[in-house]
Amino acid sequence: MTNALDPNAPMYYKGLYHFFCQYNPKGAVWGNIVWAHSVSTDMVNWKWLKPALVPSKWFDKYGCWSGSATILPGDKPVILYTGVIKEKPQPGHQVQNYAIPANYSDPYLQDWIKPANNPILKPTVENVSAFRDPTTAWYSNGYWKMLIGSLRYNREIAYLYKSKDFVRWTRAKIPFYEKQGTSVWECVDFYPLSTHGQTKKSTLGKYVFKVSLDEARNDWYTIGEYDTVKDRYHPSRRAKWLRYDYGNFYASKTFFDPVKKRRILWGWVNESSTRDEDLAKGWSGIQSIPRMVWSDPNGKQLLQWPIHELETLRGQKRHLENVKLNKGHIMEIKGITAAQADVDVIFTFSSLSKAEAYNRKWDNFSPEDICKMKGAAVEGGVGPFGILALASQNLEEYTPVFFRIFKTHNKNYKVLMCSDATPSSTNMNEYKPSFGGFVDVNLAKRKLWLRSLIDHSVVESFGEGGKTVITSRVYPKLAVWGDAHLHAFNNVNTTNHEKQQYSNDIQKHIGCDLMSTDDRNQMTDKSVQKQWEIMMYS
């Protein structure tokens, strides 16, 4: 029984990628938190090592909580982490500590030392029970600097601390950034924004500031400017708070990959199940597929895409082209292992004339609420269309991932992307939420792109080249292993899913030719060009 939680301090050291995460080796629930540790040469195939940090000192007696890794000059990694010294006040009295490798020549970094001068930071005016998760440090104006998330007088705060020697830290007089009306800021992340993630410096003069909201259990980011003199962050004018992922995705962490010059994002794919269901399964929580993250060409949001190394896992390939799906038609994609598949589809449609009207009252609703009202089985004008992942033989279970297109009052269009776990399992005890997010896309080319990574109990979906991402945890009882099926659909009709209702509204062109890395990079960076293929691999 295990519980894998927040990714902590991903880094690259002496030929190996290192991944740490919060981990309970004694049960599928919160508690007994240590730092699990794995290494890899490609971020796809991993080797488990012994835990890097376990509670062993007075300054982390009740838990080694989240933190980060920084590579200091001389190729010397150091871990910053939150230690819990008392169980009360809930969830614990928190301080900040550091750890260093016992042997810098060991590429596996199997042993870590907690120096006796810990803790390096104790809360003074900060909230002792909301003072956690130090960021990766950066060097600026002669100081090392890091952020710590907190909460004070119902105001969410990211404090900035600076140091000359990485041991003695001083808090800046003014918070790095603060806001009111959310919840405790956990797992704060801050990094430069670049067009292709190919540098540690910002190529756009902008930065990403990200927080994890403790109560809502989701991650939000904003893009803005960093005042290096006053050490303050300012969101860009009209900048919106956006989600990394609109589904089961929390406590994320990024790091810069110096080998392939890219920024990598990891997140905790937390459960939708109840505590009882987690205990019954005997495990809880996994890590997302590593994702590359960089700026959309418009500079208004981030794009995310699975690392290219993932394509080495592709096996059997199914290739379909120029397939027309009429309204009400569901087409099974055969010849692949549907329980584990990489599905890459471009949907095309000839007209938007029948798009549903967008109700302006929905502006007060969340995208999830609209997805609940407008599910895959609710007939629409242009959409819903997408895939049915992890479907049982007779569609008693299926997880639909789909688009719906709405026409607004000013004759523009809004694209909604949904991943709906509601029909995913016949187990009535499972919590089966509907997730959704809007996609900022120009529909002039009448195309939408969807990629979904399906792996037994998780479906990670990337809309329009990574503009909108949704991860769902699902636990079917019938659609497992060889009994799982995959379908493409246009307005799903679960009562008679073989019936075709002829309409020319939507065509779906599905193909499976493997593109070269250069081709895929071009598509990812420049949105969907004149490609008419969808790839499905198992």
Side-chain angles (χ1 to χ4, degrees):
M1 297 177 65
T2 57
N3 186 26
L5 302 172
D6 315 7
N8 284 330
M11 64 175 172
Y12 182 82
Y13 185 70
K14 293 188 181 299
L16 292 173
Y17 293 100
H18 290 254
F19 183 82
F20 306 87
C21 71
Q22 300 276 272
Y23 176 65
N24 179 3
K26 298 181 179 180
V29 294
W30 170 259
N32 308 301
I33 297 301
V34 305
W35 275 44
H37 184 192
S38 299
V39 294
S40 173
T41 57
D42 58 6
M43 287 188 284
V44 174
N45 301 286
W46 292 89
K47 178 181 179 180
W48 276 90
L49 302 177
K50 66 181 181 180
L53 300 176
V54 300
S56 62
K57 303 289 185 178
W58 71 267
F59 47 79
D60 61 14
K61 181 178 179 180
Y62 297 99
C64 298
W65 287 9
S66 295
S68 304
T70 301
I71 307 295
L72 298 181
D75 202 23
K76 294 183 176 181
V78 58
I79 283 175
L80 297 171
Y81 73 100
T82 296
V84 182
I85 61 175
K86 298 177 183 178
E87 293 183 288
K88 293 184 179 180
Q90 290 290 337
H93 189 293
Q94 299 151 35
V95 297
Q96 311 309 319
N97 305 316
Y98 78 109
I100 57 176
N103 181 6
Y104 287 104
S105 64
D106 176 17
Y108 289 90
L109 298 174
Q110 295 182 83
D111 297 301
W112 291 81
I113 296 172
K114 303 171 185 176
N117 57 352
N118 276 304
I120 54 174
L121 273 177
K122 298 179 181 179
T124 53
V125 299
E126 302 93 339
N127 186 331
V128 300
S129 61
F131 179 59
R132 49 187 177 266
D133 311 338
T135 66
T136 297
W138 69 95
Y139 194 77
S140 171
N141 297 333
Y143 288 92
W144 287 101
K145 299 173 184 179
M146 67 168 173
L147 304 177
I148 295 176
S150 189
L151 176 71
R152 181 172 170 81
Y153 301 131
N154 296 318
R155 194 166 188 84
E156 300 77 40
I157 297 175
Y159 290 113
L160 182 138
Y161 299 82
K162 57 185 181 180
S163 171
K164 289 278 191 180
D165 59 7
F166 221 83
V167 174
R168 292 178 291 271
W169 294 83
T170 302
R171 178 171 53 84
K173 293 181 180 180
I174 302 175
F176 187 73
Y177 188 61
E178 57 186 325
K179 197 174 184 294
Q180 190 166 357
T182 55
S183 60
V184 178
W185 281 352
E186 296 188 312
C187 304
V188 174
D189 202 7
F190 178 69
Y191 55 90
L193 182 66
S194 61
T195 52
H196 299 286
Q198 295 179 345
T199 174
K200 280 189 175 182
K201 298 181 179 180
S202 174
T203 58
L204 299 172
K206 296 184 182 296
Y207 292 78
V208 176
F209 177 78
K210 167 262 165 185
V211 297
S212 299
L213 304 185
D214 182 39
E215 291 183 3
R217 291 287 167 177
N218 46 49
D219 285 8
W220 293 81
Y221 73 89
T222 182
I223 294 173
E225 290 77 36
Y226 170 36
D227 185 334
T228 58
V229 176
K230 296 182 179 180
D231 280 320
R232 290 273 286 170
Y233 171 76
H234 303 283
S236 298
R237 185 182 179 186
R238 297 180 182 176
K240 296 181 180 179
W241 282 89
L242 300 170
R243 294 267 295 272
Y244 272 154
D245 190 304
Y246 289 84
N248 293 106
F249 188 88
Y250 186 65
S252 60
K253 194 73 180 177
T254 68
F255 82 105
F256 183 77
D257 175 9
V259 179
K260 295 195 174 181
K261 309 298 181 185
R262 55 189 176 175
R263 182 159 292 274
I264 303 297
L265 168 69
W266 254 301
W268 169 32
V269 183
N270 50 341
E271 302 292 337
S272 290
S273 303
T274 64
R275 178 186 174 93
D276 289 343
E277 286 294 318
D278 290 342
L279 289 171
K281 288 191 291 282
W283 64 288
S284 173
I286 59 175
Q287 302 304 321
S288 69
I289 292 295
R291 305 171 183 176
M292 301 175 290
V293 59
W294 71 99
S295 174
D296 184 284
N298 63 24
K300 296 179 180 179
Q301 70 170 96
L302 297 174
L303 299 178
Q304 302 170 59
W305 199 251
I307 59 172
H308 297 310
E309 290 88 335
L310 188 69
E311 294 169 12
T312 62
L313 296 178
R314 288 174 170 173
Q316 189 174 3
K317 178 176 69 174
R318 179 63 171 155
H319 184 178
L320 300 172
E321 293 185 72
N322 299 326
V323 176
K324 182 176 181 179
L325 284 179
N326 295 290
K327 193 170 185 178
H329 188 196
I330 300 174
M331 180 187 69
E332 182 170 4
I333 311 300
K334 297 183 178 181
I336 64 171
T337 304
Q340 289 182 297
D342 184 349
V343 184
D344 199 351
V345 186
I346 293 176
F347 300 99
T348 69
F349 35 93
S350 58
S351 172
L352 293 170
S353 62
K354 295 185 179 180
E356 301 167 76
Y358 179 80
N359 190 331
R360 297 176 72 175
K361 292 182 180 179
W362 294 346
D363 289 340
N364 298 319
F365 298 165
S366 69
E368 290 88 346
D369 291 333
I370 304 175
C371 286
K372 290 176 185 177
M373 293 186 295
K374 296 286 187 176
V378 179
E379 184 177 344
V382 185
F385 55 87
I387 65 170
L388 304 182
L390 299 171
S392 60
Q393 178 68 41
N394 298 313
L395 294 186
E396 301 95 337
E397 297 177 336
Y398 59 93
T399 299
V401 184
F402 59 93
F403 296 110
R404 297 185 80 106
I405 300 176
F406 299 98
K407 188 173 184 178
T408 64
H409 69 284
N410 57 3
K411 298 183 180 181
N412 290 324
Y413 296 94
K414 291 178 74 75
V415 177
L416 179 67
M417 176 177 163
C418 303
S419 182
D420 186 8
T422 306
S424 65
S425 177
T426 54
N427 182 356
M428 301 307 294
N429 294 321
E430 284 285 356
Y431 175 55
K432 298 175 285 188
S434 179
F435 295 125
F438 287 104
V439 187
D440 184 11
V441 56
N442 186 331
L443 294 177
K445 295 183 179 180
R446 304 289 192 269
K447 290 186 286 188
L448 283 171
W449 182 13
L450 176 67
R451 183 179 180 187
S452 289
L453 306 178
I454 304 165
D455 190 7
H456 294 295
S457 68
V458 61
V459 181
E460 291 187 58
S461 299
F462 300 79
E464 198 56 28
K467 285 177 175 287
T468 299
V469 185
I470 306 177
T471 299
S472 290
R473 297 308 309 276
V474 294
Y475 287 99
K477 295 181 70 67
L478 304 174
V480 296
W481 295 102
D483 293 324
H485 301 264
L486 174 68
H487 304 266
F489 78 92
N490 174 12
N491 279 265
V492 64
N493 183 341
T494 58
T495 57
N496 184 7
H497 61 271
E498 294 181 351
K499 180 180 179 181
Q500 288 196 42
Q501 300 177 23
Y502 293 95
S503 169
N504 292 322
D505 286 348
I506 299 175
Q507 296 181 12
K508 297 176 177 60
H509 298 267
I510 304 177
C512 301
D513 284 340
L514 177 62
M515 297 178 186
S516 69
T517 300
D518 291 339
D519 289 339
R520 175 57 58 83
N521 284 340
Q522 185 179 33
M523 289 181 66
T524 303
D525 295 340
K526 298 182 179 180
S527 189
V528 181
Q529 298 185 3
K530 293 183 179 180
Q531 305 289 335
W532 299 86
E533 299 177 301
I534 299 175
M535 293 172 278
M536 301 183 185
Y537 299 86
S538 60

